[in-house]
Amino acid sequence: MSTIIYPSPIFGPVHSRRLGVSLGINLMPDDGKICTFDCIYCECGFNADFRPHHPRPTRQAVAHALEERLQQMRQKGPQPDVLTFAGNGEPTCHPEFTGIIADTVALRDRYFPQAKISVLSNGTQLHRQEVREALLLVDNNIQKLDTVDNEYIRRVDRPGNPHYDAAQVVEQMALFKGHVIVQTMFISGSSHGKDVDNTGDVYVNPWLEALQRIQPSEVMIYTIDRETPDHDLRKASAETLDGIAERVVALGLKCQVSY
């Protein structure tokens, strides 16, 4: 099984398909994975296979490491397009997330004011007002919504909270009043003998209705790019993704496709 466990708290920069030159900020331990989802397609593997032993980095450690790296990049390059909260799990779960966002905004403004700040999130913490308020401070508040079908989410995204409800998450995304980007992974294939294709109308039509409710500034649709822990998954075809993107654009929404 090929997996990616990211250094913490800073990694990269890497070239992102969607964001450009991205300096990564990982708020999870550097030796394992902690996530409120356990997606069958996650490049970091399954939660149970990579239990960390190290603690999360502190707010102070994140700020120190980030400033040090930004100083290096200003002296030697490259210039970052974006500072991206990602890594080995859900960043909004960090107990000091709101303070870390405030520190990151200040450091970005000091060293690379033209760079964007992005948070890649699975939406499981949007019920917390302090998390929503922090996400209003970043440029790219990117929230996952693979479908609005709870049974599919339990099978593919596998939330740790048995009470996860996609309808509630949609309403929480709508609270941002457009200051949110919806990110959706489309896949085909199977998992443990069950079909996991979410590209058909039975999944896409309700998802499009949710987008109309959320009114995001942008929709990012993509498919598998790296090896997955579940090896029976398949990429969605470029033709399929383009067809879904056309339907998003027909709603008057901006759509970015990554094949």
Side-chain angles (χ1 to χ4, degrees):
M1 180 188 299
S2 176
T3 59
I4 301 173
I5 299 296
Y6 291 93
S8 180
I10 307 300
F11 63 93
V14 299
H15 182 77
S16 166
R17 288 186 292 170
R18 288 156 284 168
L19 303 172
V21 178
S22 172
L23 182 65
I25 305 172
N26 178 17
L27 301 185
M28 296 298 113
D30 61 4
D31 66 334
K33 180 188 173 192
I34 302 175
C35 195
T36 51
F37 272 2
D38 195 16
C39 300
I40 62 175
Y41 56 73
C42 182
E43 64 186 20
C44 296
F46 295 128
N47 290 339
D49 294 335
F50 297 94
R51 297 294 187 191
H53 300 284
H54 297 170
R56 292 182 174 99
T58 64
R59 174 181 176 179
Q60 292 74 21
V62 174
H64 176 77
L66 178 59
E67 182 164 25
E68 186 175 70
R69 189 70 180 95
L70 291 177
Q71 288 174 340
Q72 293 173 353
M73 295 176 79
R74 189 159 72 173
Q75 293 171 3
K76 301 178 181 179
Q79 179 173 298
D81 296 312
V82 63
L83 312 179
T84 306
F85 285 85
N88 308 334
E90 175 53 39
T92 61
C93 285
H94 194 290
E96 299 179 287
F97 178 72
T98 57
I100 290 171
I101 289 295
D103 295 342
T104 301
V105 170
L107 290 169
R108 183 277 309 272
D109 292 348
R110 184 182 309 167
Y111 291 100
F112 291 101
Q114 79 290 342
K116 305 294 186 183
I117 298 174
S118 297
V119 175
L120 302 182
S121 173
N122 61 26
T124 55
Q125 301 302 302
L126 293 183
H127 62 282
R128 296 166 54 200
Q129 182 176 346
E130 66 271 23
V131 168
R132 297 197 305 272
E133 290 175 351
L135 291 170
L136 287 171
L137 302 177
V138 307
D139 302 283
N140 299 319
N141 168 28
I142 304 174
Q143 299 292 328
K144 171 179 291 297
L145 187 67
D146 288 343
T147 176
V148 295
D149 183 285
N150 285 323
E151 191 279 329
Y152 182 94
I153 290 171
R154 282 191 289 270
R155 184 155 33 101
V156 174
D157 297 320
R158 306 198 304 175
N161 180 358
H163 303 296
Y164 175 93
D165 183 2
Q168 291 181 2
V169 174
V170 168
E171 292 305 310
Q172 290 155 3
M173 289 185 186
L175 293 174
F176 288 105
K177 299 186 183 303
H179 187 74
V180 61
I181 296 171
V182 171
Q183 175 180 262
T184 301
M185 168 73 84
F186 285 105
I187 59 176
S188 62
S190 63
S191 176
H192 300 286
K194 294 185 177 181
D195 180 67
V196 294
D197 190 323
N198 62 336
T199 65
D201 285 349
V202 66
Y203 294 114
V204 173
N205 287 347
W207 173 78
L208 291 169
E209 292 176 4
L211 294 181
Q212 289 180 293
R213 170 67 181 131
I214 297 166
Q215 287 296 301
S217 61
E218 185 176 355
V219 179
M220 293 178 171
I221 65 174
Y222 66 125
T223 191
I224 297 166
D225 186 47
R226 299 184 177 97
E227 185 176 354
T228 59
D230 192 320
H231 295 293
D232 292 326
L233 308 181
R234 300 291 179 265
K235 291 172 68 77
S237 70
E239 180 181 20
T240 296
L241 293 178
D242 286 341
I244 295 171
E246 289 176 1
R247 298 179 68 181
V248 174
V249 171
L251 298 177
L253 300 173
K254 181 180 178 183
C255 189
Q256 180 183 152
V257 184
S258 299
Y259 304 105

PDB file of all heavy atoms in Angstrom, residues 58-82:
ATOM      1  N   THR A  58       1.905  22.695  18.252  1.00  0.00           N
ATOM      2  CA  THR A  58       1.231  23.782  18.960  1.00  0.00           C
ATOM      3  C   THR A  58       1.077  24.994  18.050  1.00  0.00           C
ATOM      4  O   THR A  58       1.731  25.100  16.998  1.00  0.00           O
ATOM      5  CB  THR A  58       2.034  24.201  20.193  1.00  0.00           C
ATOM      6  OG1 THR A  58       3.294  24.741  19.754  1.00  0.00           O
ATOM      7  CG2 THR A  58       2.267  23.019  21.127  1.00  0.00           C
ATOM      8  N   ARG A  59       0.219  25.910  18.469  1.00  0.00           N
ATOM      9  CA  ARG A  59       0.067  27.162  17.721  1.00  0.00           C
ATOM     10  C   ARG A  59       1.412  27.868  17.571  1.00  0.00           C
ATOM     11  O   ARG A  59       1.752  28.353  16.473  1.00  0.00           O
ATOM     12  CB  ARG A  59      -0.932  28.061  18.446  1.00  0.00           C
ATOM     13  CG  ARG A  59      -1.055  29.461  17.842  1.00  0.00           C
ATOM     14  CD  ARG A  59      -2.036  30.323  18.620  1.00  0.00           C
ATOM     15  NE  ARG A  59      -2.074  31.675  18.083  1.00  0.00           N
ATOM     16  CZ  ARG A  59      -2.854  32.656  18.544  1.00  0.00           C
ATOM     17  NH1 ARG A  59      -3.666  32.413  19.575  1.00  0.00           N
ATOM     18  NH2 ARG A  59      -2.813  33.865  17.995  1.00  0.00           N
ATOM     19  N   GLN A  60       2.195  27.910  18.651  1.00  0.00           N
ATOM     20  CA  GLN A  60       3.479  28.583  18.609  1.00  0.00           C
ATOM     21  C   GLN A  60       4.437  27.895  17.651  1.00  0.00           C
ATOM     22  O   GLN A  60       5.185  28.554  16.902  1.00  0.00           O
ATOM     23  CB  GLN A  60       4.091  28.629  20.017  1.00  0.00           C
ATOM     24  CG  GLN A  60       3.356  29.517  20.999  1.00  0.00           C
ATOM     25  CD  GLN A  60       2.025  28.937  21.491  1.00  0.00           C
ATOM     26  OE1 GLN A  60       1.803  27.706  21.409  1.00  0.00           O
ATOM     27  NE2 GLN A  60       1.151  29.787  21.997  1.00  0.00           N
ATOM     28  N   ALA A  61       4.430  26.554  17.637  1.00  0.00           N
ATOM     29  CA  ALA A  61       5.314  25.811  16.746  1.00  0.00           C
ATOM     30  C   ALA A  61       4.949  26.045  15.286  1.00  0.00           C
ATOM     31  O   ALA A  61       5.831  26.171  14.417  1.00  0.00           O
ATOM     32  CB  ALA A  61       5.252  24.325  17.084  1.00  0.00           C
ATOM     33  N   VAL A  62       3.653  26.122  15.000  1.00  0.00           N
ATOM     34  CA  VAL A  62       3.206  26.364  13.629  1.00  0.00           C
ATOM     35  C   VAL A  62       3.655  27.747  13.174  1.00  0.00           C
ATOM     36  O   VAL A  62       4.210  27.919  12.078  1.00  0.00           O
ATOM     37  CB  VAL A  62       1.678  26.231  13.514  1.00  0.00           C
ATOM     38  CG1 VAL A  62       1.216  26.642  12.118  1.00  0.00           C
ATOM     39  CG2 VAL A  62       1.242  24.802  13.814  1.00  0.00           C
ATOM     40  N   ALA A  63       3.430  28.751  13.998  1.00  0.00           N
ATOM     41  CA  ALA A  63       3.799  30.120  13.622  1.00  0.00           C
ATOM     42  C   ALA A  63       5.302  30.256  13.414  1.00  0.00           C
ATOM     43  O   ALA A  63       5.762  30.888  12.457  1.00  0.00           O
ATOM     44  CB  ALA A  63       3.315  31.101  14.695  1.00  0.00           C
ATOM     45  N   HIS A  64       6.088  29.652  14.305  1.00  0.00           N
ATOM     46  CA  HIS A  64       7.547  29.731  14.191  1.00  0.00           C
ATOM     47  C   HIS A  64       8.035  29.060  12.910  1.00  0.00           C
ATOM     48  O   HIS A  64       8.847  29.636  12.158  1.00  0.00           O
ATOM     49  CB  HIS A  64       8.202  29.081  15.407  1.00  0.00           C
ATOM     50  CG  HIS A  64       9.699  29.025  15.325  1.00  0.00           C
ATOM     51  ND1 HIS A  64      10.506  30.120  15.560  1.00  0.00           N
ATOM     52  CD2 HIS A  64      10.539  27.991  15.002  1.00  0.00           C
ATOM     53  CE1 HIS A  64      11.771  29.778  15.392  1.00  0.00           C
ATOM     54  NE2 HIS A  64      11.820  28.496  15.062  1.00  0.00           N
ATOM     55  N   ALA A  65       7.556  27.849  12.651  1.00  0.00           N
ATOM     56  CA  ALA A  65       8.000  27.112  11.463  1.00  0.00           C
ATOM     57  C   ALA A  65       7.544  27.805  10.182  1.00  0.00           C
ATOM     58  O   ALA A  65       8.286  27.846   9.189  1.00  0.00           O
ATOM     59  CB  ALA A  65       7.468  25.679  11.511  1.00  0.00           C
ATOM     60  N   LEU A  66       6.330  28.343  10.198  1.00  0.00           N
ATOM     61  CA  LEU A  66       5.824  29.020   9.009  1.00  0.00           C
ATOM     62  C   LEU A  66       6.629  30.283   8.723  1.00  0.00           C
ATOM     63  O   LEU A  66       7.008  30.535   7.569  1.00  0.00           O
ATOM     64  CB  LEU A  66       4.347  29.362   9.186  1.00  0.00           C
ATOM     65  CG  LEU A  66       3.692  30.124   8.028  1.00  0.00           C
ATOM     66  CD1 LEU A  66       3.792  29.331   6.729  1.00  0.00           C
ATOM     67  CD2 LEU A  66       2.233  30.433   8.363  1.00  0.00           C
ATOM     68  N   GLU A  67       6.907  31.071   9.746  1.00  0.00           N
ATOM     69  CA  GLU A  67       7.678  32.300   9.506  1.00  0.00           C
ATOM     70  C   GLU A  67       9.077  31.979   8.998  1.00  0.00           C
ATOM     71  O   GLU A  67       9.586  32.643   8.089  1.00  0.00           O
ATOM     72  CB  GLU A  67       7.759  33.134  10.779  1.00  0.00           C
ATOM     73  CG  GLU A  67       8.498  34.440  10.556  1.00  0.00           C
ATOM     74  CD  GLU A  67       8.295  35.465  11.649  1.00  0.00           C
ATOM     75  OE1 GLU A  67       7.984  35.054  12.788  1.00  0.00           O
ATOM     76  OE2 GLU A  67       8.432  36.667  11.354  1.00  0.00           O
ATOM     77  N   GLU A  68       9.687  30.972   9.570  1.00  0.00           N
ATOM     78  CA  GLU A  68      11.023  30.574   9.132  1.00  0.00           C
ATOM     79  C   GLU A  68      11.033  30.174   7.657  1.00  0.00           C
ATOM     80  O   GLU A  68      11.907  30.571   6.886  1.00  0.00           O
ATOM     81  CB  GLU A  68      11.520  29.417   9.995  1.00  0.00           C
ATOM     82  CG  GLU A  68      12.952  29.001   9.743  1.00  0.00           C
ATOM     83  CD  GLU A  68      13.398  27.926  10.715  1.00  0.00           C
ATOM     84  OE1 GLU A  68      12.907  26.770  10.603  1.00  0.00           O
ATOM     85  OE2 GLU A  68      14.209  28.227  11.607  1.00  0.00           O
ATOM     86  N   ARG A  69      10.018  29.405   7.248  1.00  0.00           N
ATOM     87  CA  ARG A  69       9.954  28.955   5.849  1.00  0.00           C
ATOM     88  C   ARG A  69       9.627  30.117   4.925  1.00  0.00           C
ATOM     89  O   ARG A  69      10.183  30.211   3.809  1.00  0.00           O
ATOM     90  CB  ARG A  69       8.891  27.863   5.706  1.00  0.00           C
ATOM     91  CG  ARG A  69       8.911  27.182   4.352  1.00  0.00           C
ATOM     92  CD  ARG A  69      10.153  26.314   4.213  1.00  0.00           C
ATOM     93  NE  ARG A  69      10.196  25.639   2.930  1.00  0.00           N
ATOM     94  CZ  ARG A  69      10.845  26.099   1.859  1.00  0.00           C
ATOM     95  NH1 ARG A  69      11.499  27.256   1.942  1.00  0.00           N
ATOM     96  NH2 ARG A  69      10.852  25.431   0.732  1.00  0.00           N
ATOM     97  N   LEU A  70       8.761  31.025   5.330  1.00  0.00           N
ATOM     98  CA  LEU A  70       8.429  32.172   4.485  1.00  0.00           C
ATOM     99  C   LEU A  70       9.639  33.086   4.305  1.00  0.00           C
ATOM    100  O   LEU A  70       9.846  33.662   3.225  1.00  0.00           O
ATOM    101  CB  LEU A  70       7.254  32.944   5.084  1.00  0.00           C
ATOM    102  CG  LEU A  70       5.898  32.226   5.059  1.00  0.00           C
ATOM    103  CD1 LEU A  70       4.838  33.075   5.760  1.00  0.00           C
ATOM    104  CD2 LEU A  70       5.464  31.894   3.633  1.00  0.00           C
ATOM    105  N   GLN A  71      10.437  33.227   5.347  1.00  0.00           N
ATOM    106  CA  GLN A  71      11.666  34.014   5.230  1.00  0.00           C
ATOM    107  C   GLN A  71      12.597  33.385   4.204  1.00  0.00           C
ATOM    108  O   GLN A  71      13.191  34.090   3.362  1.00  0.00           O
ATOM    109  CB  GLN A  71      12.364  34.113   6.592  1.00  0.00           C
ATOM    110  CG  GLN A  71      11.663  35.008   7.595  1.00  0.00           C
ATOM    111  CD  GLN A  71      12.309  34.954   8.968  1.00  0.00           C
ATOM    112  OE1 GLN A  71      13.031  34.010   9.302  1.00  0.00           O
ATOM    113  NE2 GLN A  71      12.047  35.968   9.787  1.00  0.00           N
ATOM    114  N   GLN A  72      12.736  32.065   4.233  1.00  0.00           N
ATOM    115  CA  GLN A  72      13.581  31.366   3.269  1.00  0.00           C
ATOM    116  C   GLN A  72      13.074  31.552   1.848  1.00  0.00           C
ATOM    117  O   GLN A  72      13.846  31.789   0.915  1.00  0.00           O
ATOM    118  CB  GLN A  72      13.641  29.877   3.615  1.00  0.00           C
ATOM    119  CG  GLN A  72      14.349  29.546   4.916  1.00  0.00           C
ATOM    120  CD  GLN A  72      14.219  28.077   5.276  1.00  0.00           C
ATOM    121  OE1 GLN A  72      13.502  27.302   4.633  1.00  0.00           O
ATOM    122  NE2 GLN A  72      14.911  27.664   6.338  1.00  0.00           N
ATOM    123  N   MET A  73      11.761  31.458   1.681  1.00  0.00           N
ATOM    124  CA  MET A  73      11.178  31.578   0.356  1.00  0.00           C
ATOM    125  C   MET A  73      11.311  33.003  -0.183  1.00  0.00           C
ATOM    126  O   MET A  73      11.482  33.213  -1.391  1.00  0.00           O
ATOM    127  CB  MET A  73       9.719  31.131   0.374  1.00  0.00           C
ATOM    128  CG  MET A  73       9.543  29.653   0.688  1.00  0.00           C
ATOM    129  SD  MET A  73       7.823  29.128   0.835  1.00  0.00           S
ATOM    130  CE  MET A  73       7.363  29.003  -0.898  1.00  0.00           C
ATOM    131  N   ARG A  74      11.242  33.984   0.688  1.00  0.00           N
ATOM    132  CA  ARG A  74      11.408  35.359   0.220  1.00  0.00           C
ATOM    133  C   ARG A  74      12.840  35.611  -0.225  1.00  0.00           C
ATOM    134  O   ARG A  74      13.093  36.371  -1.157  1.00  0.00           O
ATOM    135  CB  ARG A  74      11.017  36.353   1.317  1.00  0.00           C
ATOM    136  CG  ARG A  74      10.967  37.792   0.794  1.00  0.00           C
ATOM    137  CD  ARG A  74      10.134  38.695   1.647  1.00  0.00           C
ATOM    138  NE  ARG A  74      10.784  39.008   2.920  1.00  0.00           N
ATOM    139  CZ  ARG A  74      10.291  39.906   3.798  1.00  0.00           C
ATOM    140  NH1 ARG A  74       9.146  40.534   3.532  1.00  0.00           N
ATOM    141  NH2 ARG A  74      10.917  40.139   4.932  1.00  0.00           N
ATOM    142  N   GLN A  75      13.798  34.925   0.411  1.00  0.00           N
ATOM    143  CA  GLN A  75      15.207  35.106   0.056  1.00  0.00           C
ATOM    144  C   GLN A  75      15.612  34.286  -1.166  1.00  0.00           C
ATOM    145  O   GLN A  75      16.360  34.754  -2.026  1.00  0.00           O
ATOM    146  CB  GLN A  75      16.090  34.723   1.245  1.00  0.00           C
ATOM    147  CG  GLN A  75      15.969  35.651   2.436  1.00  0.00           C
ATOM    148  CD  GLN A  75      16.687  35.120   3.664  1.00  0.00           C
ATOM    149  OE1 GLN A  75      17.332  34.063   3.617  1.00  0.00           O
ATOM    150  NE2 GLN A  75      16.575  35.839   4.777  1.00  0.00           N
ATOM    151  N   LYS A  76      15.092  33.057  -1.255  1.00  0.00           N
ATOM    152  CA  LYS A  76      15.563  32.124  -2.275  1.00  0.00           C
ATOM    153  C   LYS A  76      14.493  31.649  -3.244  1.00  0.00           C
ATOM    154  O   LYS A  76      14.810  30.996  -4.253  1.00  0.00           O
ATOM    155  CB  LYS A  76      16.190  30.899  -1.596  1.00  0.00           C
ATOM    156  CG  LYS A  76      17.361  31.231  -0.675  1.00  0.00           C
ATOM    157  CD  LYS A  76      17.909  29.981  -0.008  1.00  0.00           C
ATOM    158  CE  LYS A  76      19.060  30.326   0.934  1.00  0.00           C
ATOM    159  NZ  LYS A  76      19.603  29.108   1.612  1.00  0.00           N
ATOM    160  N   GLY A  77      13.223  31.931  -2.946  1.00  0.00           N
ATOM    161  CA  GLY A  77      12.160  31.422  -3.786  1.00  0.00           C
ATOM    162  C   GLY A  77      11.831  29.978  -3.464  1.00  0.00           C
ATOM    163  O   GLY A  77      12.482  29.347  -2.636  1.00  0.00           O
ATOM    164  N   PRO A  78      10.816  29.431  -4.109  1.00  0.00           N
ATOM    165  CA  PRO A  78       9.911  30.110  -5.039  1.00  0.00           C
ATOM    166  C   PRO A  78       8.871  30.942  -4.291  1.00  0.00           C
ATOM    167  O   PRO A  78       8.697  30.793  -3.075  1.00  0.00           O
ATOM    168  CB  PRO A  78       9.242  28.941  -5.763  1.00  0.00           C
ATOM    169  CG  PRO A  78       9.172  27.869  -4.720  1.00  0.00           C
ATOM    170  CD  PRO A  78      10.449  28.005  -3.933  1.00  0.00           C
ATOM    171  N   GLN A  79       8.201  31.795  -5.018  1.00  0.00           N
ATOM    172  CA  GLN A  79       7.128  32.582  -4.433  1.00  0.00           C
ATOM    173  C   GLN A  79       5.866  31.737  -4.366  1.00  0.00           C
ATOM    174  O   GLN A  79       5.435  31.176  -5.372  1.00  0.00           O
ATOM    175  CB  GLN A  79       6.882  33.821  -5.295  1.00  0.00           C
ATOM    176  CG  GLN A  79       5.776  34.709  -4.792  1.00  0.00           C
ATOM    177  CD  GLN A  79       5.688  35.998  -5.576  1.00  0.00           C
ATOM    178  OE1 GLN A  79       6.613  36.802  -5.600  1.00  0.00           O
ATOM    179  NE2 GLN A  79       4.561  36.194  -6.246  1.00  0.00           N
ATOM    180  N   PRO A  80       5.238  31.629  -3.208  1.00  0.00           N
ATOM    181  CA  PRO A  80       4.043  30.779  -3.109  1.00  0.00           C
ATOM    182  C   PRO A  80       2.810  31.462  -3.700  1.00  0.00           C
ATOM    183  O   PRO A  80       2.611  32.664  -3.551  1.00  0.00           O
ATOM    184  CB  PRO A  80       3.868  30.584  -1.598  1.00  0.00           C
ATOM    185  CG  PRO A  80       4.445  31.837  -1.000  1.00  0.00           C
ATOM    186  CD  PRO A  80       5.587  32.232  -1.900  1.00  0.00           C
ATOM    187  N   ASP A  81       2.002  30.676  -4.372  1.00  0.00           N
ATOM    188  CA  ASP A  81       0.690  31.152  -4.805  1.00  0.00           C
ATOM    189  C   ASP A  81      -0.313  31.047  -3.672  1.00  0.00           C
ATOM    190  O   ASP A  81      -1.262  31.829  -3.598  1.00  0.00           O
ATOM    191  CB  ASP A  81       0.181  30.324  -5.993  1.00  0.00           C
ATOM    192  CG  ASP A  81       1.047  30.476  -7.231  1.00  0.00           C
ATOM    193  OD1 ASP A  81       1.372  31.624  -7.593  1.00  0.00           O
ATOM    194  OD2 ASP A  81       1.403  29.442  -7.831  1.00  0.00           O
ATOM    195  N   VAL A  82      -0.080  30.076  -2.787  1.00  0.00           N
ATOM    196  CA  VAL A  82      -1.071  29.786  -1.754  1.00  0.00           C
ATOM    197  C   VAL A  82      -0.404  29.110  -0.566  1.00  0.00           C
ATOM    198  O   VAL A  82       0.580  28.376  -0.716  1.00  0.00           O
ATOM    199  CB  VAL A  82      -2.196  28.891  -2.345  1.00  0.00           C
ATOM    200  CG1 VAL A  82      -1.644  27.550  -2.798  1.00  0.00           C
ATOM    201  CG2 VAL A  82      -3.326  28.682  -1.353  1.00  0.00           C
TER     202      VAL A  82
END
